[in-house]
């Protein structure tokens, strides 16, 4: 608590689920290993309440601690607690250490605008390519706002199935649909008084867009199955890695909703347009992952910095973060060496190639690809392209959809079709940047 955590206490696993269902959100649950941790996690999952669990217990019984981890707990803490240990474990599991690092003039200009508008209650649309740090910017705006001491609630509109998103946002009454065993407070009510982030809002279907527009205009929401509206006091931030103006022209996004959300636009430039941030971010991630892995902190070598500066970073900050995590683990000397900076497949990260070499390589690749695809159907070529791109992105659906230029929903439908046909689909890999299937 002295480090800023807010703590609530209940006695039973049923009371824990009820508290979360009632909108008393939590970033983490600390649960005695004498309780049925597996049942608690299952009860929460049944209502799509996903909060990481850390087990604790007096006596440090290795068997019971192991059982708790197998039941789904992320860590175990012996009791009575040592202050430094419990703080370190909770910080690591909640992973709330995401400061906004900016040194490049292009990014500093965006920060200046963010500082200027943060104290207001105006809706903000944060745009940019996948991996540029849109959610980090949203959290920054919240911490600079008058609502900083109130909840910050994030909802990934692309990660929640379409038929469940309405209940997730607006809540539901008991019996509203099959499986609605009790009243559930939605994210709008949970965020009341604070900030609600609608991540990847471009993936929301038209019917929900209309309901969202009403919520923003009237400052009230209707729970699914509810009989009367519920007043809410929130500030809404939204992110998108797609061109919403074009989405309006294509008829898949409401123009009036875009105007309501886009009072101010914060466009985050891709990492290739803010070279001054690359080294600063890399050094931050080296420090973070050295501490996380119990390794000594080492500086980046001059050659490593040059290599970082020549890469175009198509995956932006997320790709850089993953690369630095690998580099921390692979380095063997007193510095982070150039050879340790590698692509996800383990290959060395190549520097920028001359234009002629790039053109020659592209031509050779195109010729090889056309030879490989001759005799294949369009559907077979499409399937191979989607699966190869997904493998390149380590199973990250959002990143793959962005590269392919399709919506995350379209990608999910394609992958479902492939799986049902018996085709092996790359699963999201654990760690940074992986997202739910």
């Amino acid at each position: 608590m002295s480090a800023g955590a807010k703590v609530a206490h209940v006695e039973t696993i049923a009371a824990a689920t009820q508290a979360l269902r009632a909108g008393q959100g939590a970033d983490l649950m600390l649960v005695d290993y004498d309780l049925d941790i597996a049942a608690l996690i299952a009860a929460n999952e049944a209502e799509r309440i996903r909060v990481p669990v850390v087990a604790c217990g007096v006596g440090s019984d290795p068997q019971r601690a192991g059982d708790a981890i197998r039941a789904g707990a992320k860590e175990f803490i012996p009791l009575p607690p040592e202050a430094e240990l419990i703080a370190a474990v909770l910080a690591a599991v909640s992973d709330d250490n995401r400061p906004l690092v900016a040194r490049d003039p292009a990014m500093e200009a965006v920060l200046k605008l963010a500082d200027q508008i943060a104290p207001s209650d105006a809706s903000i649309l944060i745009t940019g390519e996948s991996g540029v740090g849109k959610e980090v910017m949203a959290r920054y705006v919240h911490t600079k706002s008058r609502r900083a001491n109130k909840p910050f609630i994030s909802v990934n509109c692309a990660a929640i199935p379409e038929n469940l998103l309405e209940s997730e946002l607006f809540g539901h009454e008991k019996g509203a649909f099959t499986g609605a065993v009790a009243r559930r407070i939605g994210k709008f009510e949970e965020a009341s008084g604070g900030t609600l982030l609608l991540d990847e809002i471009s993936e929301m279907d038209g019917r929900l867009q209309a309901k969202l527009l009403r919520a923003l205009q009237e400052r009230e929401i209707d729970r699914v199955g509810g009989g009367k509206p519920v007043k809410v006091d929130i500030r809404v931030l939204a992110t998108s890695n797609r061109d919403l103006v074009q989405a309006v022209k294509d008829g898949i996004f409401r123009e009036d909703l875009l105007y309501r959300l886009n009072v101010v636009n914060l466009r985050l430039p891709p990492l290739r347009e803010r070279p001054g941030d690359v080294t600063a971010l890399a050094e931050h991630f080296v420090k973070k992952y050295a501490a996380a892995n119990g390794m000594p902190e080492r500086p980046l070598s001059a050659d490593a910095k040059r290599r970082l500066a020549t890469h175009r970073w198509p995956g932006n900050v997320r790709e850089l973060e993953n690369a630095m995590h690998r580099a921390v683990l692979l380095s063997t000397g007193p510095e982070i060496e150039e050879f340790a900076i590698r692509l996800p497949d383990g290959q060395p990260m190549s520097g920028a190639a001359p234009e002629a070499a790039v053109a020659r390589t592209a031509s050779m690749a195109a010729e090889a690809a056309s030879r490989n695809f001759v005799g294949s159907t369009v559907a077979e070529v499409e399937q191979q392209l989607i699966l190869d791109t997904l493998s390149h992105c380590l199973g990250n659906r959002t990143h793959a959809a962005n590269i392919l230029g399709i919506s995350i929903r379209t990608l999910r439908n394609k992958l479902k079709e492939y799986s049902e046909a018996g085709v092996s689909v790359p699963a999201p890999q654990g760690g940074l940047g992986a997202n739910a299937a």
Side-chain angles (χ1 to χ4, degrees):
M1 292 174 69
S2 64
K6 296 177 183 177
V7 180
H9 174 79
V10 295
E11 292 288 343
T12 66
I13 61 174
T17 298
Q18 177 57 34
L20 294 170
R21 186 192 290 133
Q24 299 175 27
D27 296 306
L28 185 140
M29 290 188 290
L30 186 63
V31 184
D32 192 307
Y33 65 2
D34 285 334
L35 300 177
D36 191 341
I37 289 176
L40 171 60
I41 294 174
N44 289 346
E45 285 284 342
E47 300 192 41
R48 305 178 309 284
I49 300 172
R50 296 180 177 88
V51 181
V53 169
V54 169
C56 63
V58 176
S60 302
D61 184 322
Q63 180 63 45
R64 287 193 294 165
D67 290 343
I69 297 295
R70 283 186 287 274
K74 302 294 184 184
E75 263 292 357
F76 172 78
I77 296 175
L79 297 180
E82 296 179 17
E84 290 301 319
L85 173 62
I86 195 170
V89 171
L90 297 184
V93 173
S94 62
D95 190 25
D96 200 31
N97 181 26
R98 288 175 283 184
L100 202 159
V101 178
R103 300 290 184 273
D104 192 272
M107 197 61 185
E108 288 178 341
V110 178
L111 270 184
K112 183 178 180 181
L113 177 58
D115 288 338
Q116 183 178 340
I117 61 177
S120 75
D121 271 345
S123 297
I124 299 174
L125 181 62
I126 305 171
T127 57
E129 295 178 5
S130 180
V132 292
K134 297 187 290 295
E135 183 173 350
V136 175
M137 175 58 77
R139 289 178 180 274
Y140 177 84
V141 169
H142 173 71
T143 60
K144 295 290 184 177
S145 74
R146 292 175 294 180
R147 299 171 179 263
N149 293 325
K150 298 295 184 178
F152 175 89
I153 304 296
S154 175
V155 180
N156 188 331
C157 300
I160 301 172
E162 187 177 310
N163 61 324
L164 299 178
L165 184 56
E166 181 177 10
S167 171
E168 190 75 14
L169 289 173
F170 303 110
H172 61 252
E173 296 290 349
K174 181 179 180 180
F177 50 83
T178 302
V181 296
R183 170 184 284 180
R184 168 79 184 276
I185 298 302
K187 298 303 184 184
F188 266 83
E189 289 181 79
E190 190 176 331
S192 194
T195 303
L196 177 65
L197 170 63
L198 299 175
D199 201 12
E200 301 303 346
I201 196 170
S202 56
E203 303 304 319
M204 184 180 290
D205 73 74
R207 184 182 63 84
L208 269 187
Q209 289 178 31
K211 192 166 183 177
L212 172 60
L213 179 63
R214 178 180 177 276
L216 294 176
Q217 290 174 336
E218 306 298 331
R219 296 295 168 179
E220 62 182 29
I221 55 102
D222 295 305
R223 298 192 194 111
V224 179
K228 61 180 182 180
V230 178
K231 290 290 184 181
V232 290
D233 170 27
I234 59 171
R235 183 198 200 164
V236 172
L237 309 180
T239 75
S240 177
N241 60 9
R242 303 178 71 82
D243 184 347
L244 290 184
V245 174
Q246 185 59 48
V248 169
K249 293 178 181 176
D250 294 340
I252 59 176
F253 201 82
R254 293 181 63 111
E255 186 174 27
D256 47 4
L257 178 57
L258 176 58
Y259 289 145
R260 176 66 64 172
L261 291 169
N262 194 23
V263 176
V264 180
N265 177 225
L266 292 177
R267 177 193 173 271
L268 303 192
L271 197 52
R272 61 183 174 275
E273 293 180 10
R274 42 198 259 224
D277 285 349
V278 173
T279 299
L281 282 164
E283 290 173 341
H284 164 71
F285 293 134
V286 164
K287 182 177 181 179
K288 174 181 177 179
Y289 288 110
N293 290 283
M295 302 173 71
E297 184 182 334
R298 290 167 291 178
L300 288 161
S301 71
D303 287 340
K305 290 180 181 179
R306 281 193 290 270
R307 179 50 50 91
L308 293 173
T310 59
H311 189 62
R312 286 187 58 79
W313 302 108
N316 292 296
V317 180
R318 185 181 295 124
E319 181 187 0
L320 175 62
E321 181 169 6
N322 288 340
M324 291 302 96
H325 194 172
R326 281 191 297 275
V328 167
L329 299 176
L330 294 175
S331 293
T332 57
E335 295 182 311
I336 303 290
E337 306 96 334
E338 181 184 9
F339 85 85
I341 303 175
R342 294 177 173 268
L343 297 171
D345 61 2
Q347 295 299 311
M349 188 173 286
S350 59
E355 291 185 9
V358 171
R360 184 167 60 252
T361 301
S363 176
M364 292 169 63
E367 288 179 15
S370 63
R371 285 196 299 272
N372 290 337
F373 291 145
V374 170
S376 303
T377 65
V378 171
E380 289 169 341
V381 173
E382 179 187 63
Q383 176 180 306
Q384 192 60 51
L385 175 62
I386 288 175
L387 295 177
D388 286 350
T389 303
L390 193 60
S391 294
H392 173 75
C393 297
L394 300 180
N396 186 301
R397 271 63 173 161
T398 302
H399 194 182
N402 187 48
I403 292 174
L404 291 164
I406 59 178
S407 72
I408 188 70
R409 189 161 288 119
T410 297
L411 177 61
R412 277 209 204 90
N413 290 338
K414 290 288 184 184
L415 297 179
K416 183 173 182 289
E417 177 186 318
Y418 301 156
S419 293
E420 290 174 349
V423 177
S424 177
V425 173
Q429 296 185 19
L432 294 155
N435 62 351

